[in-house]
Amino acid sequence: MSKLFSFSGSDDFCHGGSIYPNPKESNILLSLGRHVDVYFPPCKRSRISAPFVFSGERFEQKPSIEVLPDECFFEIFRRLPGGQERSACACVSKRWLTLVSNIRRDEISDKTTEALNLKDVDSEVGDQDVQGGGYLSRSLEGNKATDVRLAAIAVGTASRGGLGKLFIRGSNSSLGVTTVGLRAISRGCPSLRVLSLWNLSSLGDEGLREIADGCHQLRKLDLCHCPAITNESLHAIGKGCPDLTDLTIEGCANIGNEGIQAIARYCPNLKSLSIEGCPLVGDQGIASLLTSASYSLTKVKLQALNITDVSLAIIGHYGKAVTDLSLNSLPNVTEKGFWVMGNGHGLQKLKSFTIKACLGVTDLGLEAVGKGCPNLKQFCLRKCAFLSDNGLVSFAKAAGSLESLELEECHRVTQFGFFGSLLNCGPKFKAISLVNCLSIKDLSLGLPPLSRCESLRSLAIRNCPGFGDASVAALGKLCPRLQNMELSGLHGITDAGFLPLLESCEAGLVKVNLSDCLNLSDKVVCKMADLHGWTLEMLNLDGCCKISDASLVAIAEDCQLLSDLDVSKCVITDSGIAALARSGLINLQILSVSGCSMVTDKSLPSLGKLGQTLLGLNLQKCEAISSSAVDLLVERLWRCDILF
C-alpha cells in the first residue's frame, strides 16, 4: 500500500504486472463486482490501458476497447469531423462497422455537420463514381449480398454523394441480407431513390419498415421472390415513401389486395406497376390502384394473377393515362373482359399492348380492342390459341395508327390472316413479325394487282415451316419498300422464290438475315450484292450450307457499306477470306466464320488485314485453325474481340 500512496508522478506507474506481493491484496482497492474501482492520481494520466481483472492467482489485463459499451462508441463516432474519418473507423472491426452504419445523418453532432456538408459537395464534384444528381449506384449479387457488405456500402457512400440506387440479387443462403443490413442502408442512405430486392428469403417486413422510416425519397421499388414480405411492408412503404412512382412485385406469395390498396391510398403519383405471380392479388387490389392513379399510371403489367374480367373492365374505363399495357397468363379472363375493356373508351392514350397466353383473346374481343385504342402503335400477340384470321383482319382495319404487329405461336392464323392484315393495315404500318405459327401453308394467293403495302419497312418470318416460295413471291409484290428482312429457319424457301423478292424491293435492302435457310445458294447472294450492295449493311448467312466462296467474292466487289457479316457453317475456304481482304471493305466491323472447317491457318494474313477495321471476330469451331495462329491474331489485332 505504501508503494501506491508514495507515487510521485513517474511514468512507470504500472507496467501491466501486479503491484502487490500478494495478488489477493487487490481487494483493498479493486472490487470484483460490476464496477471496478482503480485509484488514479489527478496530476498524471496513467498508462493503464484497461482495468485489472482478478483471475486465479494473478491479474489479467483486457483491452479497454472491448469493454466500452456501444453507447460510448456511438457518442465518439457521431462527433468525428467527417465521413472519411467514420469510414476509417468502420474498417477496424465488424462491431465498429455495425455501430458506424447505424448512425443517422441527423444524429451527427451539430459541430461536424457543416464540415460534412462541405466534404459532400467536394465529393460530388470530384468523384468520378458519382452518377445522376450526385447519387451513387451499388449492386450485390449471390454470396456477396450480406449485411456486412450493406453496412460497408452505407458508411462508404455517405460522404461521397450518397447512395441513390441499390440492387441486391441474393442467393437464399443463411448469411443473406436481413433486417440488419437494410437498417444500415436506412440510417446511412436517406437519399436512396431506387431499391431492387431479388431472391431474399431471409428478409421480412421489419427490413422494409426500416427502409420506409429512413428513405423517404424512394421512387422505385422492386420486390421479386421475397417470400417473407407481406402486406405490412407495402403499408409501411406507402406511408413512408409517398413519392413512389415505380412498383414491381414478382413471386411474393404473401402480398395481397391489402398491400396493393395501401399503395393506392398513400402513393397517388404512381406511374409504373408490374405484378407477377402473386396469387393473393385480385380484382380489389387492381381496381383500387387504377381508380386512385387514373391520371398518373402510364405502365401496367399483370401476369399470372387470379384476376377476372372485372379488372379488365376497370382498366378499360380508368386507364386514362396508360400508354403501355401487358397482360400475360390470366386464366380467369374471358372474351367478355377484353370486349368490355375495348368498349370502355378509357385507353385513348395506349400506344403499346402485349397479350400473352390469355385464352380469352378471341376475334370479337380483339376487334373491340382495335376500335377502343385509336392511338395504338405496337401490338404483340403470343400464344393466343383462339385467335383466327377473321379477328386479325378486323383488328388491322380498326387500328388505324398501328405501326408494328408481332404474332407468335398463334396457330389458328394462316396465310390468309397474315396477308389480309398487310392489305388492310393503315398508312403508318411499318413492321410485322411472324414466329412459330404452324398453320401457315404455302398457297398461291390471288392478290389484287393494285394492292400494295407501301409503308412496310421491316419483315420477320421465323420458324414457320409452311412459309415457302409462293408466299415469298407474294411478299415481293405486296411490300416493295422493304429495307430490313429476316427469313430464318425457312427450309421451304429456294432460289426460285427468293430471287423475285430481291427484284421487287425498290428501296434497297439494309439488313438481311437468312440464317438456316438451307436451300438458298450463291445465286441469291450474288443477286443481292448486285441489286442491293449499295445499301446493304448487315448480312447473316449462318447455317446456309450451300453458300460458298462465290458469295464472298460478290460481297467483296459490291457491298462496300457492309459492316456485319456472318457466314458461319458455310462452305467457304481460305480463298473466300482472301477475296474479302483484297477488296478493302473499310466498314467491316463484325465477321463470323464459326464452324467453317475449311478455313485454315493460311487465312492468317487475310484476317490480319481485315483486322484493321474489325471489332469482333468469331473463329469458334474452326478446327483447321491452330491455337498458335489465334495467339498471333490476338497479339496483332489488339482492338478486336476474338472468339475461339
mmCIF file of all heavy atoms in Angstrom, residues 239-258:
data_model
loop_
_atom_site.group_PDB
_atom_site.id
_atom_site.type_symbol
_atom_site.label_atom_id
_atom_site.label_comp_id
_atom_site.label_asym_id
_atom_site.label_seq_id
_atom_site.Cartn_x
_atom_site.Cartn_y
_atom_site.Cartn_z
ATOM 1 N N LYS A 239 -46.826 4.613 -46.567
ATOM 2 C CA LYS A 239 -46.869 5.735 -45.625
ATOM 3 C C LYS A 239 -45.541 6.482 -45.578
ATOM 4 O O LYS A 239 -45.527 7.719 -45.476
ATOM 5 C CB LYS A 239 -47.226 5.227 -44.234
ATOM 6 C CG LYS A 239 -48.637 4.672 -44.114
ATOM 7 C CD LYS A 239 -48.981 4.342 -42.680
ATOM 8 C CE LYS A 239 -49.055 5.600 -41.830
ATOM 9 N NZ LYS A 239 -49.482 5.305 -40.446
ATOM 10 N N GLY A 240 -44.423 5.759 -45.641
ATOM 11 C CA GLY A 240 -43.123 6.401 -45.512
ATOM 12 C C GLY A 240 -42.552 6.947 -46.804
ATOM 13 O O GLY A 240 -41.684 7.820 -46.769
ATOM 14 N N CYS A 241 -43.020 6.450 -47.950
ATOM 15 C CA CYS A 241 -42.480 6.873 -49.251
ATOM 16 C C CYS A 241 -43.628 7.276 -50.171
ATOM 17 O O CYS A 241 -43.930 6.581 -51.155
ATOM 18 C CB CYS A 241 -41.659 5.748 -49.883
ATOM 19 S SG CYS A 241 -40.415 5.027 -48.788
ATOM 20 N N PRO A 242 -44.273 8.379 -49.883
ATOM 21 C CA PRO A 242 -45.464 8.765 -50.665
ATOM 22 C C PRO A 242 -45.150 9.183 -52.091
ATOM 23 O O PRO A 242 -46.064 9.282 -52.912
ATOM 24 C CB PRO A 242 -46.030 9.944 -49.866
ATOM 25 C CG PRO A 242 -44.847 10.514 -49.133
ATOM 26 C CD PRO A 242 -43.967 9.343 -48.815
ATOM 27 N N ASP A 243 -43.861 9.434 -52.403
ATOM 28 C CA ASP A 243 -43.493 9.846 -53.755
ATOM 29 C C ASP A 243 -43.135 8.662 -54.652
ATOM 30 O O ASP A 243 -42.563 8.858 -55.735
ATOM 31 C CB ASP A 243 -42.303 10.815 -53.696
ATOM 32 C CG ASP A 243 -42.666 12.126 -53.021
ATOM 33 O OD1 ASP A 243 -43.833 12.534 -53.123
ATOM 34 O OD2 ASP A 243 -41.792 12.732 -52.372
ATOM 35 N N LEU A 244 -43.452 7.452 -54.226
ATOM 36 C CA LEU A 244 -43.165 6.254 -55.020
ATOM 37 C C LEU A 244 -43.846 6.347 -56.388
ATOM 38 O O LEU A 244 -45.042 6.629 -56.476
ATOM 39 C CB LEU A 244 -43.651 5.012 -54.281
ATOM 40 C CG LEU A 244 -43.176 3.659 -54.815
ATOM 41 C CD1 LEU A 244 -41.695 3.463 -54.540
ATOM 42 C CD2 LEU A 244 -43.977 2.523 -54.183
ATOM 43 N N THR A 245 -43.049 6.092 -57.450
ATOM 44 C CA THR A 245 -43.595 6.166 -58.806
ATOM 45 C C THR A 245 -43.546 4.831 -59.548
ATOM 46 O O THR A 245 -44.324 4.630 -60.481
ATOM 47 C CB THR A 245 -42.821 7.211 -59.636
ATOM 48 O OG1 THR A 245 -41.432 6.857 -59.678
ATOM 49 C CG2 THR A 245 -42.972 8.597 -59.021
ATOM 50 N N ASP A 246 -42.628 3.930 -59.157
ATOM 51 C CA ASP A 246 -42.488 2.643 -59.855
ATOM 52 C C ASP A 246 -42.513 1.512 -58.835
ATOM 53 O O ASP A 246 -41.724 1.524 -57.878
ATOM 54 C CB ASP A 246 -41.174 2.589 -60.636
ATOM 55 C CG ASP A 246 -41.141 3.569 -61.783
ATOM 56 O OD1 ASP A 246 -41.003 4.778 -61.535
ATOM 57 O OD2 ASP A 246 -41.258 3.118 -62.928
ATOM 58 N N LEU A 247 -43.389 0.543 -59.058
ATOM 59 C CA LEU A 247 -43.508 -0.597 -58.150
ATOM 60 C C LEU A 247 -43.557 -1.888 -58.955
ATOM 61 O O LEU A 247 -44.397 -2.045 -59.846
ATOM 62 C CB LEU A 247 -44.758 -0.475 -57.286
ATOM 63 C CG LEU A 247 -45.042 -1.646 -56.337
ATOM 64 C CD1 LEU A 247 -43.926 -1.794 -55.314
ATOM 65 C CD2 LEU A 247 -46.387 -1.467 -55.642
ATOM 66 N N THR A 248 -42.647 -2.823 -58.622
ATOM 67 C CA THR A 248 -42.617 -4.147 -59.245
ATOM 68 C C THR A 248 -42.675 -5.204 -58.153
ATOM 69 O O THR A 248 -41.856 -5.197 -57.230
ATOM 70 C CB THR A 248 -41.341 -4.344 -60.081
ATOM 71 O OG1 THR A 248 -41.318 -3.384 -61.142
ATOM 72 C CG2 THR A 248 -41.306 -5.744 -60.677
ATOM 73 N N ILE A 249 -43.645 -6.097 -58.257
ATOM 74 C CA ILE A 249 -43.800 -7.185 -57.292
ATOM 75 C C ILE A 249 -43.887 -8.486 -58.087
ATOM 76 O O ILE A 249 -44.760 -8.654 -58.931
ATOM 77 C CB ILE A 249 -45.060 -7.008 -56.428
ATOM 78 C CG1 ILE A 249 -45.065 -5.640 -55.749
ATOM 79 C CG2 ILE A 249 -45.152 -8.110 -55.381
ATOM 80 C CD1 ILE A 249 -46.352 -5.333 -55.014
ATOM 81 N N GLU A 250 -42.983 -9.405 -57.780
ATOM 82 C CA GLU A 250 -42.937 -10.663 -58.527
ATOM 83 C C GLU A 250 -42.653 -11.826 -57.583
ATOM 84 O O GLU A 250 -41.690 -11.791 -56.813
ATOM 85 C CB GLU A 250 -41.858 -10.592 -59.607
ATOM 86 C CG GLU A 250 -41.704 -11.869 -60.420
ATOM 87 C CD GLU A 250 -40.622 -11.768 -61.467
ATOM 88 O OE1 GLU A 250 -40.281 -10.636 -61.857
ATOM 89 O OE2 GLU A 250 -40.097 -12.823 -61.882
ATOM 90 N N GLY A 251 -43.488 -12.845 -57.635
ATOM 91 C CA GLY A 251 -43.255 -14.056 -56.868
ATOM 92 C C GLY A 251 -43.291 -13.861 -55.365
ATOM 93 O O GLY A 251 -42.591 -14.572 -54.644
ATOM 94 N N CYS A 252 -44.089 -12.920 -54.879
ATOM 95 C CA CYS A 252 -44.245 -12.679 -53.436
ATOM 96 C C CYS A 252 -45.618 -13.222 -53.031
ATOM 97 O O CYS A 252 -46.636 -12.525 -53.145
ATOM 98 C CB CYS A 252 -44.115 -11.197 -53.107
ATOM 99 S SG CYS A 252 -42.483 -10.516 -53.485
ATOM 100 N N ALA A 253 -45.635 -14.455 -52.545
ATOM 101 C CA ALA A 253 -46.896 -15.165 -52.338
ATOM 102 C C ALA A 253 -47.726 -14.594 -51.196
ATOM 103 O O ALA A 253 -48.928 -14.866 -51.115
ATOM 104 C CB ALA A 253 -46.615 -16.646 -52.079
ATOM 105 N N ASN A 254 -47.126 -13.826 -50.298
ATOM 106 C CA ASN A 254 -47.849 -13.312 -49.135
ATOM 107 C C ASN A 254 -48.323 -11.875 -49.297
ATOM 108 O O ASN A 254 -48.812 -11.270 -48.345
ATOM 109 C CB ASN A 254 -46.965 -13.424 -47.889
ATOM 110 C CG ASN A 254 -46.755 -14.860 -47.464
ATOM 111 O OD1 ASN A 254 -47.693 -15.653 -47.422
ATOM 112 N ND2 ASN A 254 -45.514 -15.221 -47.165
ATOM 113 N N ILE A 255 -48.166 -11.320 -50.469
ATOM 114 C CA ILE A 255 -48.682 -9.978 -50.744
ATOM 115 C C ILE A 255 -50.028 -10.113 -51.442
ATOM 116 O O ILE A 255 -50.163 -10.838 -52.427
ATOM 117 C CB ILE A 255 -47.700 -9.176 -51.609
ATOM 118 C CG1 ILE A 255 -46.455 -8.836 -50.790
ATOM 119 C CG2 ILE A 255 -48.346 -7.905 -52.120
ATOM 120 C CD1 ILE A 255 -45.423 -8.035 -51.546
ATOM 121 N N GLY A 256 -51.008 -9.399 -50.930
ATOM 122 C CA GLY A 256 -52.361 -9.490 -51.477
ATOM 123 C C GLY A 256 -52.997 -8.134 -51.688
ATOM 124 O O GLY A 256 -52.319 -7.103 -51.792
ATOM 125 N N ASN A 257 -54.316 -8.139 -51.718
ATOM 126 C CA ASN A 257 -55.066 -6.919 -52.019
ATOM 127 C C ASN A 257 -54.813 -5.811 -51.007
ATOM 128 O O ASN A 257 -54.762 -4.626 -51.365
ATOM 129 C CB ASN A 257 -56.562 -7.239 -52.077
ATOM 130 C CG ASN A 257 -56.928 -8.097 -53.276
ATOM 131 O OD1 ASN A 257 -56.330 -7.966 -54.337
ATOM 132 N ND2 ASN A 257 -57.900 -8.975 -53.109
ATOM 133 N N GLU A 258 -54.647 -6.167 -49.715
ATOM 134 C CA GLU A 258 -54.471 -5.141 -48.689
ATOM 135 C C GLU A 258 -53.213 -4.321 -48.938
ATOM 136 O O GLU A 258 -53.218 -3.095 -48.786
ATOM 137 C CB GLU A 258 -54.423 -5.780 -47.300
ATOM 138 C CG GLU A 258 -55.718 -6.446 -46.858
ATOM 139 C CD GLU A 258 -55.897 -7.824 -47.451
ATOM 140 O OE1 GLU A 258 -54.971 -8.272 -48.176
ATOM 141 O OE2 GLU A 258 -56.940 -8.452 -47.210
#
